[in-house]
Amino acid sequence: MKIRYAAAATVAGFVGVIGLAAPAQAADADVQVAQPTAVSAQADYTLCGTVYTNGTAAGRGCFQSYGDKFVMDDYKADGLRVVAEWYTDYGRSGECHFTAGADGGQGVCNYDMREDGRINFRVVVRNGSDGANQAATSWSGYVPIGG
């Protein structure tokens, strides 16, 4: 039975933390820019992480195990992008970039992952596509990919 977390729930250790090291990205990392979308309730998402800067929520990323999607939100008009960095237990990695800004609604990255795998991710705010991360959540811990 798959455990689902309510959109407002927080997972211990999965809140804004600054200065965590990321695993090395493979040369063939799967990087996507989140496409704008109208998203219904985020209660369908397996796990969400909210990243904080200066004590306030800066952005959020949610992973939907059924459908292999990330839904991204930017909460601050600070010029930074919200990025979900992820890797699987079978060696695949990537990033979902939300570049539309705080007034851009929500965006979705849609991946095609192995249904028998597990994924670990965190949400960061970053200056540009390859700039330094300004803040990050802790890593989520592995969650199942298949729905």
Side-chain angles (χ1 to χ4, degrees), residues 20-31 85-95 120 122 126 133 139 142:
L20 296 176
Q25 290 288 331
D28 59 349
D30 189 345
V31 177
E85 300 175 332
W86 58 268
Y87 61 94
T88 67
D89 62 349
Y90 60 89
R92 188 171 168 193
S93 64
E95 295 182 343
N120 191 358
R122 72 177 182 172
R126 181 182 297 164
N133 292 341
W139 289 95
Y142 282 110

Side-chain angles (χ1 to χ4, degrees), residues 12 15 36 64 67 69 74 78 81 85-86 109-110 117 120 129 144:
V15 294
Q64 181 184 33
K69 296 177 185 175
D74 188 340
D78 55 9
R81 65 177 58 193
E85 300 175 332
W86 58 268
C109 291
N110 191 357
N120 191 358
S129 63

Side-chain angles (χ1 to χ4, degrees), residues 35-45 62 64 69-73 105-109:
Q35 300 302 308
T37 187
V39 178
S40 58
Q42 287 187 344
D44 291 340
Y45 287 82
C62 296
Q64 181 184 33
K69 296 177 185 175
F70 280 95
V71 171
M72 309 297 290
D73 289 294
Q106 294 179 318
V108 172
C109 291

Side-chain angles (χ1 to χ4, degrees), residues 2 38 43 45 83 103 112 128:
K2 184 184 302 180
Y45 287 82
V83 178
D103 295 329
D112 184 16

